[in-house]
Amino acid sequence: MTHWFHRNPLKATAPVSFNYYGVTTGLPASKICNDLRSSRARLLELFTELSCNPEMMKNAADLYFSLLQGFINSPDDSTQESKLRYIQNFKWTDTLQGQVPSAQQDAVFELISMGFNVALWYTKYASRLAGKENITEDEAKEVHRSLKTAAGIFKHLKESHIPKLITPAEKGRDLEPRLVEAYILQCQAEAQEVTIARAIELKHAPGLIAALAYETANFYQRADHTLSSLEPAYSAKWRKYLHLKMCFYTAYAYCYHGQTLLAGDKCGEAIRSLQEAEKLYAKAEALCKEYGETKGPGPSAKPSGHLFFRKLGSLVKTTLDKCQRENGFIYFQKIPAEAPQLELKANYGLVEPVPFEFPPMGVQWTPETLAAFDLTKRPKDDGAKPKPEEEVKAVTEPDIKPQKDTGCRIS
């Protein structure tokens, strides 16, 4: 079963040379700076390489982060921060704010921002795989794993590193905790979509599928609520996506709950549940159109033309027709005025983020290596000669062509 996921753009960053003329007083220090520059550049390249896979991404990210740790923590096993933490200014754009960058002279800001982009890469890798026409079981597992990995990275950044920033993130910036929380919830919800597709394929009990769909809709609702106070100019498209997915999976829940009710000879209630599914499906369809017309970060798409969307519409219609036929021939039950309350709890298949930790500091870092950086030899700032601003160029992301049956473009 193919899937369709909304994706915000990758973060862009200004180049960093790690050249500290006069400050680096030995070959080991110079080599670390060269390795930092090259490993950072390579990691940035991999974000847009279609041939990149999770193993390549992990290796490249671990190399850069292990080197960067020496700019954050002291290598002598103490809890002291490194004297190099504030030596370099880093600039990053935000996923919702276009090309207006944030800048902080803080290696922790770099660690979090690059980590954020790694998490975004995992979501985009999952999206590319999930949009394939004939996704295999192994590929579905890879999608599921990648989304849980991304959720784990976002969660680790939010809980363990963002609180360490000297300058808190401004409203609507990526490192604002509620924005990170929205990304975590979206990853969990999308991973559960894969679980639901698998449960349907294996013909699990309708009650389990209904419960999973209901829990997934709740994830989307919580993510949408988290973004509710942001400016519509940059959050509206993302929120349309979250809202339409919430309606879509609530419709799923009512559809499969109706099947459970029918199996329990509650045909009248089943009809009412299917009618609610039909209503919510129509609402999701309207939101799909609004999503396509809404300007903002993210891909242009027509989700209502996607296979995953059309399948549910057909299922709701055939199940409702069956319930109405059986009620007319067998049950003759009254159809309730109110839709049944969904109080469904899934005991299996709920997604939790994969725990994540940054790699330990590289073995290149020793107290002697750190001592080879002499901060007293930093050039004095010359106000008469302002430094040229490093340009932050937009990331050119690969244009993924949709499969012929998807009706959308996966970013």
Side-chain angles (χ1 to χ4, degrees):
M1 184 180 183
T2 56
H3 298 270
W4 167 73
F5 303 135
H6 167 93
R7 290 291 175 260
N8 291 325
L10 285 166
K11 295 164 72 67
T13 181
V16 179
S17 68
F18 293 102
N19 285 331
Y20 308 115
Y21 299 113
V23 173
T24 50
T25 60
L27 281 176
S30 297
K31 185 174 186 321
I32 279 181
C33 290
N34 288 336
D35 290 347
L36 273 164
R37 179 171 60 252
S38 61
S39 60
R40 186 181 198 263
R42 179 57 184 150
L43 183 52
L44 292 172
E45 285 173 2
L46 284 179
F47 288 142
T48 56
E49 278 190 17
L50 285 177
S51 59
C52 182
N53 59 42
E55 184 183 5
M56 292 167 65
M57 177 54 61
K58 185 179 188 312
N59 290 341
D62 282 356
L63 175 60
Y64 179 61
F65 291 137
S66 67
L67 290 166
L68 188 64
Q69 294 280 10
F71 276 54
I72 297 169
N73 302 306
S74 184
D76 59 4
D77 295 327
S78 73
T79 55
Q80 276 189 314
E81 69 178 30
S82 171
K83 67 181 183 181
L84 303 176
R85 177 173 170 179
Y86 307 106
I87 195 173
Q88 177 68 53
N89 191 50
F90 297 95
K91 281 187 180 180
W92 284 89
T93 61
D94 295 271
T95 54
L96 300 182
Q97 302 277 359
Q99 286 306 109
V100 181
S102 299
Q104 290 197 33
Q105 192 144 331
D106 187 350
V108 171
F109 177 69
E110 167 74 357
L111 183 82
I112 297 166
S113 300
M114 190 68 85
F116 199 102
N117 242 19
V118 171
L120 286 176
W121 179 87
Y122 276 101
T123 70
K124 287 171 181 278
Y125 176 76
S127 185
R128 287 199 294 273
L129 268 186
K132 288 179 67 174
E133 192 171 336
N134 296 304
I135 186 169
T136 66
E137 182 181 339
D138 285 344
E139 286 170 334
K141 287 178 181 176
E142 190 73 24
V143 172
H144 197 254
R145 190 182 306 116
S146 295
L147 289 167
K148 291 195 297 179
T149 298
I153 296 171
F154 285 130
K155 188 170 189 283
H156 182 63
L157 295 176
K158 177 175 177 262
E159 294 177 354
S160 302
H161 296 280
I162 289 175
K164 294 177 184 175
L165 285 172
I166 302 298
T167 308
E170 297 171 18
K171 181 180 176 181
R173 297 287 183 178
D174 286 339
L175 308 191
E176 191 189 358
R178 61 180 170 169
L179 221 73
V180 184
E181 181 65 17
Y183 276 110
I184 295 168
L185 291 167
Q186 181 178 340
C187 288
Q188 288 179 273
E190 290 174 348
Q192 283 192 189
E193 289 192 45
V194 180
T195 304
I196 291 167
R198 182 70 174 157
I200 292 168
E201 187 181 339
L202 295 178
K203 296 182 167 49
H204 279 292
L208 173 63
I209 296 169
L212 282 170
Y214 183 61
E215 300 270 17
T216 302
N218 283 341
F219 272 132
Y220 279 120
Q221 185 177 35
R222 285 166 57 197
D224 179 52
H225 180 72
T226 302
L227 300 175
S228 59
S229 60
L230 295 183
E231 290 295 327
Y234 54 79
S235 66
K237 193 175 187 74
W238 191 8
R239 291 193 63 198
K240 287 288 181 197
Y241 167 77
L242 298 170
H243 195 189
L244 80 84
K245 282 288 185 88
M246 181 198 75
C247 289
F248 181 81
Y249 278 97
T250 309
Y252 241 121
Y254 272 112
C255 180
Y256 278 91
H257 185 55
Q259 293 183 25
T260 304
L261 291 169
L262 181 61
D265 295 326
K266 297 178 179 178
C267 196
E269 290 180 43
I271 290 171
R272 186 63 188 86
S273 189
L274 266 299
Q275 287 173 340
E276 193 67 15
E278 196 174 46
K279 184 173 84 175
L280 284 160
Y281 180 79
K283 186 175 180 182
E285 197 166 28
L287 284 166
C288 283
K289 186 181 179 186
E290 291 176 24
Y291 173 88
E293 294 170 350
T294 303
K295 292 181 180 178
S300 57
K302 295 178 181 176
S304 57
H306 196 289
L307 182 61
F308 92 96
F309 197 89
R310 299 198 308 267
K311 272 188 173 179
L312 177 60
S314 302
L315 181 64
V316 170
K317 185 179 186 309
T318 54
T319 311
L320 179 57
D321 288 348
K322 178 185 175 183
C323 289
Q324 288 172 330
R325 276 198 313 274
E326 296 202 10
N327 202 45
F329 280 108
I330 304 168
Y331 294 102
F332 304 104
Q333 291 176 1
K334 185 178 178 182
I335 300 165
E338 296 292 325
Q341 287 294 312
L342 292 180
E343 296 175 355
L344 308 172
K345 191 75 181 168
N347 296 318
Y348 309 98
L350 292 177
V351 168
E352 287 296 328
V354 171
F356 174 81
E357 293 283 343
F358 282 109
M361 189 182 300
V363 293
Q364 303 94 320
W365 284 104
T366 64
E368 292 73 30
T369 311
L370 185 63
F373 288 85
D374 187 352
L375 297 185
T376 64
K377 296 182 178 176
R378 289 178 75 182
K380 295 284 189 292
D381 287 336
D382 188 350
K385 295 180 180 178
K387 294 179 182 178
E389 286 285 309
E390 307 103 322
E391 188 182 356
V392 181
K393 294 180 180 177
V395 179
T396 304
E397 300 192 41
D399 183 25
I400 309 302
K401 302 298 181 189
Q403 299 294 339
K404 62 185 178 184
D405 72 337
T406 64
C408 73
R409 178 170 69 79
I410 301 293
S411 76

